[in-house]
PDB file of all heavy atoms in Angstrom:
ATOM      1  N   VAL A  31    -119.440   4.540 -67.680  1.00 97.00           N
ATOM      2  CA  VAL A  31    -120.915   4.498 -67.581  1.00 97.00           C
ATOM      3  C   VAL A  31    -121.346   3.684 -66.349  1.00 97.00           C
ATOM      4  O   VAL A  31    -120.730   2.613 -66.058  1.00 97.00           O
ATOM      5  CB  VAL A  31    -121.544   3.747 -68.808  1.00 97.00           C
ATOM      6  CG1 VAL A  31    -123.072   3.662 -68.671  1.00 97.00           C
ATOM      7  CG2 VAL A  31    -121.111   4.444 -70.157  1.00 97.00           C
ATOM      8  N   ARG A  32    -122.227   4.198 -65.535  1.00 96.00           N
ATOM      9  CA  ARG A  32    -122.776   3.518 -64.364  1.00 96.00           C
ATOM     10  C   ARG A  32    -124.253   3.522 -64.414  1.00 96.00           C
ATOM     11  O   ARG A  32    -124.921   4.444 -64.883  1.00 96.00           O
ATOM     12  CB  ARG A  32    -122.245   4.232 -63.095  1.00 96.00           C
ATOM     13  CG  ARG A  32    -120.777   4.258 -62.905  1.00 96.00           C
ATOM     14  CD  ARG A  32    -120.422   4.949 -61.538  1.00 96.00           C
ATOM     15  NE  ARG A  32    -118.957   4.863 -61.276  1.00 96.00           N
ATOM     16  CZ  ARG A  32    -118.011   5.669 -61.740  1.00 96.00           C
ATOM     17  NH1 ARG A  32    -118.404   6.697 -62.540  1.00 96.00           N
ATOM     18  NH2 ARG A  32    -116.783   5.522 -61.448  1.00 96.00           N
ATOM     19  N   SER A  33    -124.872   2.498 -63.808  1.00 96.00           N
ATOM     20  CA  SER A  33    -126.231   2.409 -63.654  1.00 96.00           C
ATOM     21  C   SER A  33    -126.655   1.406 -62.592  1.00 96.00           C
ATOM     22  O   SER A  33    -126.071   0.290 -62.451  1.00 96.00           O
ATOM     23  CB  SER A  33    -126.993   2.036 -64.976  1.00 96.00           C
ATOM     24  OG  SER A  33    -128.397   1.986 -64.796  1.00 96.00           O
ATOM     25  N   ASN A  34    -127.648   1.770 -61.834  1.00 93.00           N
ATOM     26  CA  ASN A  34    -128.146   0.810 -60.768  1.00 93.00           C
ATOM     27  C   ASN A  34    -129.549   0.244 -61.169  1.00 93.00           C
ATOM     28  O   ASN A  34    -130.260  -0.254 -60.313  1.00 93.00           O
ATOM     29  CB  ASN A  34    -128.207   1.486 -59.437  1.00 93.00           C
ATOM     30  CG  ASN A  34    -129.107   2.762 -59.401  1.00 93.00           C
ATOM     31  OD1 ASN A  34    -129.881   3.000 -60.340  1.00 93.00           O
ATOM     32  ND2 ASN A  34    -129.072   3.504 -58.329  1.00 93.00           N
ATOM     33  N   LEU A  35    -129.852   0.444 -62.525  1.00 93.00           N
ATOM     34  CA  LEU A  35    -131.131  -0.060 -62.985  1.00 93.00           C
ATOM     35  C   LEU A  35    -130.908  -1.368 -63.649  1.00 93.00           C
ATOM     36  O   LEU A  35    -130.260  -1.459 -64.674  1.00 93.00           O
ATOM     37  CB  LEU A  35    -131.735   1.007 -63.968  1.00 93.00           C
ATOM     38  CG  LEU A  35    -132.007   2.417 -63.407  1.00 93.00           C
ATOM     39  CD1 LEU A  35    -132.359   3.418 -64.515  1.00 93.00           C
ATOM     40  CD2 LEU A  35    -133.150   2.261 -62.333  1.00 93.00           C
ATOM     41  N   ARG A  36    -131.493  -2.332 -63.148  1.00 87.00           N
ATOM     42  CA  ARG A  36    -131.418  -3.776 -63.689  1.00 87.00           C
ATOM     43  C   ARG A  36    -131.922  -3.834 -65.163  1.00 87.00           C
ATOM     44  O   ARG A  36    -131.310  -4.472 -65.978  1.00 87.00           O
ATOM     45  CB  ARG A  36    -132.152  -4.761 -62.784  1.00 87.00           C
ATOM     46  CG  ARG A  36    -131.932  -6.210 -63.167  1.00 87.00           C
ATOM     47  CD  ARG A  36    -132.549  -7.165 -62.178  1.00 87.00           C
ATOM     48  NE  ARG A  36    -131.997  -6.994 -60.908  1.00 87.00           N
ATOM     49  CZ  ARG A  36    -132.413  -7.574 -59.805  1.00 87.00           C
ATOM     50  NH1 ARG A  36    -133.407  -8.449 -59.867  1.00 87.00           N
ATOM     51  NH2 ARG A  36    -131.803  -7.295 -58.616  1.00 87.00           N
ATOM     52  N   SER A  37    -133.041  -3.178 -65.375  1.00 85.00           N
ATOM     53  CA  SER A  37    -133.663  -3.273 -66.716  1.00 85.00           C
ATOM     54  C   SER A  37    -132.760  -2.646 -67.703  1.00 85.00           C
ATOM     55  O   SER A  37    -132.647  -3.091 -68.870  1.00 85.00           O
ATOM     56  CB  SER A  37    -134.999  -2.537 -66.721  1.00 85.00           C
ATOM     57  OG  SER A  37    -134.905  -1.205 -66.337  1.00 85.00           O
ATOM     58  N   PHE A  38    -132.090  -1.494 -67.310  1.00 92.00           N
ATOM     59  CA  PHE A  38    -131.157  -0.904 -68.312  1.00 92.00           C
ATOM     60  C   PHE A  38    -129.988  -1.806 -68.543  1.00 92.00           C
ATOM     61  O   PHE A  38    -129.490  -1.924 -69.654  1.00 92.00           O
ATOM     62  CB  PHE A  38    -130.636   0.423 -67.659  1.00 92.00           C
ATOM     63  CG  PHE A  38    -129.479   1.059 -68.510  1.00 92.00           C
ATOM     64  CD1 PHE A  38    -129.726   1.806 -69.529  1.00 92.00           C
ATOM     65  CD2 PHE A  38    -128.191   0.742 -68.061  1.00 92.00           C
ATOM     66  CE1 PHE A  38    -128.686   2.330 -70.322  1.00 92.00           C
ATOM     67  CE2 PHE A  38    -127.144   1.307 -68.815  1.00 92.00           C
ATOM     68  CZ  PHE A  38    -127.400   2.068 -69.976  1.00 92.00           C
ATOM     69  N   ALA A  39    -129.411  -2.495 -67.572  1.00 93.00           N
ATOM     70  CA  ALA A  39    -128.252  -3.245 -67.685  1.00 93.00           C
ATOM     71  C   ALA A  39    -128.534  -4.422 -68.720  1.00 93.00           C
ATOM     72  O   ALA A  39    -127.629  -4.800 -69.570  1.00 93.00           O
ATOM     73  CB  ALA A  39    -127.759  -3.885 -66.413  1.00 93.00           C
ATOM     74  N   SER A  40    -129.677  -4.975 -68.679  1.00 91.00           N
ATOM     75  CA  SER A  40    -130.078  -6.088 -69.516  1.00 91.00           C
ATOM     76  C   SER A  40    -130.015  -5.662 -70.989  1.00 91.00           C
ATOM     77  O   SER A  40    -129.373  -6.354 -71.914  1.00 91.00           O
ATOM     78  CB  SER A  40    -131.403  -6.751 -69.186  1.00 91.00           C
ATOM     79  OG  SER A  40    -131.741  -7.763 -70.084  1.00 91.00           O
ATOM     80  N   LEU A  41    -130.666  -4.550 -71.267  1.00 95.00           N
ATOM     81  CA  LEU A  41    -130.651  -4.106 -72.689  1.00 95.00           C
ATOM     82  C   LEU A  41    -129.363  -3.541 -73.151  1.00 95.00           C
ATOM     83  O   LEU A  41    -128.866  -3.775 -74.269  1.00 95.00           O
ATOM     84  CB  LEU A  41    -131.749  -3.039 -72.795  1.00 95.00           C
ATOM     85  CG  LEU A  41    -131.984  -2.479 -74.235  1.00 95.00           C
ATOM     86  CD1 LEU A  41    -132.283  -3.560 -75.188  1.00 95.00           C
ATOM     87  CD2 LEU A  41    -133.061  -1.392 -74.252  1.00 95.00           C
ATOM     88  N   ALA A  42    -128.646  -2.929 -72.281  1.00 96.00           N
ATOM     89  CA  ALA A  42    -127.297  -2.340 -72.662  1.00 96.00           C
ATOM     90  C   ALA A  42    -126.376  -3.489 -72.959  1.00 96.00           C
ATOM     91  O   ALA A  42    -125.564  -3.294 -73.927  1.00 96.00           O
ATOM     92  CB  ALA A  42    -126.769  -1.493 -71.456  1.00 96.00           C
ATOM     93  N   HIS A  43    -126.351  -4.569 -72.276  1.00 96.00           N
ATOM     94  CA  HIS A  43    -125.513  -5.641 -72.568  1.00 96.00           C
ATOM     95  C   HIS A  43    -125.835  -6.178 -73.957  1.00 96.00           C
ATOM     96  O   HIS A  43    -124.905  -6.603 -74.748  1.00 96.00           O
ATOM     97  CB  HIS A  43    -125.709  -6.780 -71.488  1.00 96.00           C
ATOM     98  CG  HIS A  43    -124.785  -7.913 -71.706  1.00 96.00           C
ATOM     99  ND1 HIS A  43    -125.079  -9.050 -72.354  1.00 96.00           N
ATOM    100  CD2 HIS A  43    -123.469  -8.123 -71.130  1.00 96.00           C
ATOM    101  CE1 HIS A  43    -124.026  -9.881 -72.386  1.00 96.00           C
ATOM    102  NE2 HIS A  43    -123.063  -9.348 -71.614  1.00 96.00           N
ATOM    103  N   GLN A  44    -127.064  -6.254 -74.343  1.00 96.00           N
ATOM    104  CA  GLN A  44    -127.458  -6.767 -75.688  1.00 96.00           C
ATOM    105  C   GLN A  44    -127.022  -5.800 -76.778  1.00 96.00           C
ATOM    106  O   GLN A  44    -126.387  -6.209 -77.769  1.00 96.00           O
ATOM    107  CB  GLN A  44    -128.988  -6.927 -75.683  1.00 96.00           C
ATOM    108  CG  GLN A  44    -129.554  -7.295 -77.074  1.00 96.00           C
ATOM    109  CD  GLN A  44    -130.978  -7.248 -77.164  1.00 96.00           C
ATOM    110  OE1 GLN A  44    -131.681  -7.167 -76.155  1.00 96.00           O
ATOM    111  NE2 GLN A  44    -131.491  -7.195 -78.326  1.00 96.00           N
ATOM    112  N   LEU A  45    -127.331  -4.525 -76.654  1.00 97.00           N
ATOM    113  CA  LEU A  45    -127.143  -3.667 -77.796  1.00 97.00           C
ATOM    114  C   LEU A  45    -125.660  -3.120 -77.888  1.00 97.00           C
ATOM    115  O   LEU A  45    -125.193  -2.790 -78.927  1.00 97.00           O
ATOM    116  CB  LEU A  45    -128.044  -2.401 -77.653  1.00 97.00           C
ATOM    117  CG  LEU A  45    -129.562  -2.751 -78.005  1.00 97.00           C
ATOM    118  CD1 LEU A  45    -130.434  -1.504 -77.922  1.00 97.00           C
ATOM    119  CD2 LEU A  45    -129.725  -3.322 -79.340  1.00 97.00           C
ATOM    120  N   TYR A  46    -124.971  -3.093 -76.728  1.00 98.00           N
ATOM    121  CA  TYR A  46    -123.583  -2.647 -76.706  1.00 98.00           C
ATOM    122  C   TYR A  46    -122.623  -3.874 -76.892  1.00 98.00           C
ATOM    123  O   TYR A  46    -121.402  -3.681 -76.807  1.00 98.00           O
ATOM    124  CB  TYR A  46    -123.160  -1.961 -75.414  1.00 98.00           C
ATOM    125  CG  TYR A  46    -123.868  -0.611 -75.170  1.00 98.00           C
ATOM    126  CD1 TYR A  46    -123.946  -0.130 -73.911  1.00 98.00           C
ATOM    127  CD2 TYR A  46    -124.409   0.101 -76.230  1.00 98.00           C
ATOM    128  CE1 TYR A  46    -124.574   1.106 -73.665  1.00 98.00           C
ATOM    129  CE2 TYR A  46    -125.065   1.326 -76.037  1.00 98.00           C
ATOM    130  CZ  TYR A  46    -125.061   1.835 -74.763  1.00 98.00           C
ATOM    131  OH  TYR A  46    -125.732   3.058 -74.519  1.00 98.00           O
ATOM    132  N   GLU A  47    -123.121  -5.028 -77.177  1.00 97.00           N
ATOM    133  CA  GLU A  47    -122.331  -6.239 -77.149  1.00 97.00           C
ATOM    134  C   GLU A  47    -120.995  -6.159 -77.921  1.00 97.00           C
ATOM    135  O   GLU A  47    -119.930  -6.602 -77.442  1.00 97.00           O
ATOM    136  CB  GLU A  47    -123.166  -7.411 -77.636  1.00 97.00           C
ATOM    137  CG  GLU A  47    -122.576  -8.798 -77.622  1.00 97.00           C
ATOM    138  CD  GLU A  47    -121.840  -9.175 -78.906  1.00 97.00           C
ATOM    139  OE1 GLU A  47    -122.235  -8.610 -79.980  1.00 97.00           O
ATOM    140  OE2 GLU A  47    -120.876  -9.879 -78.866  1.00 97.00           O
ATOM    141  N   PRO A  48    -120.939  -5.617 -79.201  1.00 98.00           N
ATOM    142  CA  PRO A  48    -119.672  -5.591 -79.885  1.00 98.00           C
ATOM    143  C   PRO A  48    -118.783  -4.421 -79.655  1.00 98.00           C
ATOM    144  O   PRO A  48    -117.654  -4.336 -80.222  1.00 98.00           O
ATOM    145  CB  PRO A  48    -120.137  -5.597 -81.329  1.00 98.00           C
ATOM    146  CG  PRO A  48    -121.464  -4.925 -81.355  1.00 98.00           C
ATOM    147  CD  PRO A  48    -122.063  -5.078 -79.979  1.00 98.00           C
ATOM    148  N   TYR A  49    -119.112  -3.494 -78.711  1.00 98.00           N
ATOM    149  CA  TYR A  49    -118.359  -2.384 -78.519  1.00 98.00           C
ATOM    150  C   TYR A  49    -117.125  -2.636 -77.619  1.00 98.00           C
ATOM    151  O   TYR A  49    -117.240  -3.428 -76.628  1.00 98.00           O
ATOM    152  CB  TYR A  49    -119.222  -1.202 -77.946  1.00 98.00           C
ATOM    153  CG  TYR A  49    -120.046  -0.616 -79.005  1.00 98.00           C
ATOM    154  CD1 TYR A  49    -121.336  -1.053 -79.077  1.00 98.00           C
ATOM    155  CD2 TYR A  49    -119.655   0.420 -79.824  1.00 98.00           C
ATOM    156  CE1 TYR A  49    -122.250  -0.499 -80.066  1.00 98.00           C
ATOM    157  CE2 TYR A  49    -120.400   1.025 -80.790  1.00 98.00           C
ATOM    158  CZ  TYR A  49    -121.790   0.525 -80.862  1.00 98.00           C
ATOM    159  OH  TYR A  49    -122.580   1.062 -81.877  1.00 98.00           O
ATOM    160  N   PRO A  50    -116.029  -1.968 -77.828  1.00 97.00           N
ATOM    161  CA  PRO A  50    -114.733  -2.176 -76.953  1.00 97.00           C
ATOM    162  C   PRO A  50    -114.925  -1.752 -75.543  1.00 97.00           C
ATOM    163  O   PRO A  50    -115.493  -0.702 -75.245  1.00 97.00           O
ATOM    164  CB  PRO A  50    -113.663  -1.407 -77.714  1.00 97.00           C
ATOM    165  CG  PRO A  50    -114.285  -1.038 -79.060  1.00 97.00           C
ATOM    166  CD  PRO A  50    -115.782  -1.034 -78.968  1.00 97.00           C
TER     167      PRO A  50
END
Side-chain angles (χ1 to χ4, degrees):
V31 182
R32 294 180 175 87
S33 179
N34 58 12
L35 299 171
R36 185 175 301 175
S37 58
F38 170 84
S40 177
L41 181 57
H43 187 268
Q44 173 192 344
L45 289 181
Y46 292 161
E47 185 268 333
Y49 285 94

